[in-house]
Amino acid sequence: MTIPTEPIGSIPRPRELQAAMAAHEAGKIDDAALAEVQQRAVSGTVHRLEEIGSPVVTDGEQSKPSFVTYPIAGLSTLAPGGVAIPFADGHQRQLPVLTAGPFRYQAHAADYLRAAQAHATAPVKQAVIAPSAMSLLYPAAGIDGYSREAFLTDLINEAEADIRGCLDAGAPVVQLDFTEARLSLKLDPSGGILDQFIELNNLVLERFSPEERARIGIHTCPGGDQDSTHSLDVDYTELLPKLLQLKAGNFYVQLASEPDPDKVLAVIAEYLPAGARIFVGVIDPIDPAVETPEQVRDRVLAAARHLPVDRLGTCDDCGFSPFADDTSTSRETAFAKIRARVEGTALAAEQLGV
């Protein structure tokens, strides 16, 4: 594959795993029984991606409770009532709030990576949550004896360790999920929150060498959950100039669901960082229709009119099931869409002569 193509992350969980999660929640099975089912789901996901011909695979986040909460699952110093994330269809997800320090990750992404590598022959990429998302855990009222500055110091250290652990374990690329970027402009149109997010994420990225940052990517999208988004109505052109200031080597940009992709591509081309690769979204996980390889090819060719082909890649707009309980898209539909991405990218590469 001369134009690289990569999955973003989550794949809908099989029915066996959905049932096991419900049984575990109800206290009917223990942690070990759940872990056994999770590992079967990881193995099955990796093997299906390899059968499709995906040059890079993931574990499909089969063992994660969600793309955002995996580092804090089981943390005792949490309370309900944190930041609420409203979606266009009326439902919402709500983060917990931290009640005491010091802040420490309870799980690290490298553990998920190594579990997937045990089943894979292809390279395994790993998604991690951006530190900016974790920063939302700190309450506006503060925490007695644990300042926001102390929390951010701990968070930066933990986020660095999460990324570095994946690089050290052999991930060809580590992807920071930064879905809150676009949402921040809905919450604060002035861009102040986004500026804080960019600054915080760069404080982490600056701890890595240029060679390491070439293996780190940033994913942005308008959110995806239960076939709805939280910020698709926010103009991408307000986000991208700032997003592309992040010190990463790869950017994974939702594009297939954009109403005016040429407008977005023109902004990306204008602000494209030196040496960075742009992975454009050519698959819409929310659309129930499965794209054809020819549709994907045409989306790649459209992107190539704006961006240098040697700095172009393809991806899905978002994960297919970022939260473990999201069953809005079937597992078979997800794999069919991924196959179309792989085959369509190859068609585009052939037509472009690369």
Side-chain angles (χ1 to χ4, degrees):
M1 183 68 65
T2 51
I3 296 177
T5 188
E6 297 180 9
I8 286 300
S10 59
I11 303 291
R13 282 74 171 171
R15 291 179 182 176
E16 179 193 28
L17 178 53
Q18 291 285 348
M21 290 189 299
H24 184 264
E25 181 70 20
K28 296 179 179 178
I29 64 172
D30 60 16
D31 292 349
L34 175 61
E36 183 178 339
V37 179
Q38 288 173 328
Q39 284 311 300
R40 283 201 294 271
V42 169
S43 176
T45 300
V46 168
H47 291 155
R48 284 292 299 275
L49 289 172
E50 291 186 338
E51 289 169 3
I52 286 168
S54 183
V56 175
V57 301
T58 75
D59 68 351
E61 301 186 357
Q62 303 296 285
S63 302
K64 284 183 178 179
S66 81
F67 79 105
V68 64
T69 58
Y70 73 88
I72 57 173
L75 184 63
S76 61
T77 53
L78 295 174
V83 173
I85 304 171
F87 286 80
D89 66 354
H91 86 279
Q92 70 175 28
R93 298 283 184 173
Q94 190 165 32
L95 295 175
V97 64
L98 192 67
T99 60
F103 178 66
R104 297 289 185 269
Y105 280 18
Q106 303 301 290
H108 289 88
D111 294 332
Y112 299 107
L113 172 64
R114 283 187 284 266
Q117 288 171 329
H119 302 285
T121 58
V124 183
K125 71 178 285 189
Q126 183 60 48
V128 303
I129 190 61
S132 50
M134 289 290 94
S135 73
L136 296 173
L137 297 173
Y138 193 84
I143 298 173
D144 287 344
Y146 190 52
S147 68
R148 181 172 180 81
E149 291 72 21
F151 163 73
L152 290 176
T153 297
D154 287 341
L155 172 57
I156 289 168
N157 290 336
E158 293 295 295
E160 178 194 359
D162 206 32
I163 298 167
R164 194 172 297 283
C166 296
L167 294 175
D168 291 346
V173 64
V174 179
Q175 170 191 300
L176 274 67
D177 287 326
F178 190 23
T179 183
E180 68 277 10
R182 199 163 176 176
L183 177 62
S184 73
L185 288 172
K186 192 169 189 175
L187 301 176
D188 176 18
S190 75
I193 294 177
L194 177 59
D195 288 341
Q196 292 174 22
F197 284 169
I198 297 290
E199 180 182 9
L200 174 59
N201 290 338
N202 268 338
L203 286 173
V204 174
L205 292 170
E206 287 167 356
R207 294 188 171 194
F208 295 88
S209 69
E211 293 75 19
E212 290 168 331
R213 289 199 295 269
R215 295 167 56 198
I216 298 174
I218 307 293
H219 170 235
T220 183
C221 72
D225 184 42
Q226 299 178 16
D227 281 352
S228 187
T229 63
H230 55 53
S231 53
L232 188 59
D233 54 338
V234 173
D235 190 343
Y236 233 157
T237 61
E238 298 297 315
L239 167 65
L240 290 169
K242 292 186 176 181
L243 180 89
L244 293 170
Q245 294 174 10
L246 285 166
K247 297 176 181 180
N250 305 282
F251 292 87
Y252 301 86
V253 180
Q254 163 265 341
L255 192 63
S257 57
E258 279 298 307
D260 190 351
D262 282 317
K263 176 184 176 183
V264 176
L265 287 163
V267 175
I268 294 173
E270 181 179 356
Y271 291 93
L272 181 63
R277 184 182 295 274
I278 303 294
F279 287 78
V280 296
V282 293
I283 294 294
D284 182 358
I286 289 178
D287 186 348
V290 176
E291 294 83 350
T292 67
E294 290 75 21
Q295 285 176 307
V296 171
R297 174 201 63 197
D298 292 345
R299 288 171 179 173
V300 180
L301 295 177
R305 290 194 289 269
H306 294 269
L307 302 172
V309 176
D310 63 349
R311 296 170 67 186
L312 180 63
T314 66
C315 61
D316 312 308
D317 272 2
C318 187
F320 290 89
S321 181
F323 295 88
D325 61 358
D326 181 4
T327 58
S328 57
T329 299
S330 75
R331 193 167 168 86
E332 290 308 312
T333 295
F335 285 123
K337 283 174 169 278
I338 292 168
R339 183 186 295 275
R341 169 171 54 76
V342 172
E343 294 179 355
T345 302
L347 290 176
E350 181 180 3
Q351 186 159 333
L352 291 166
V354 296

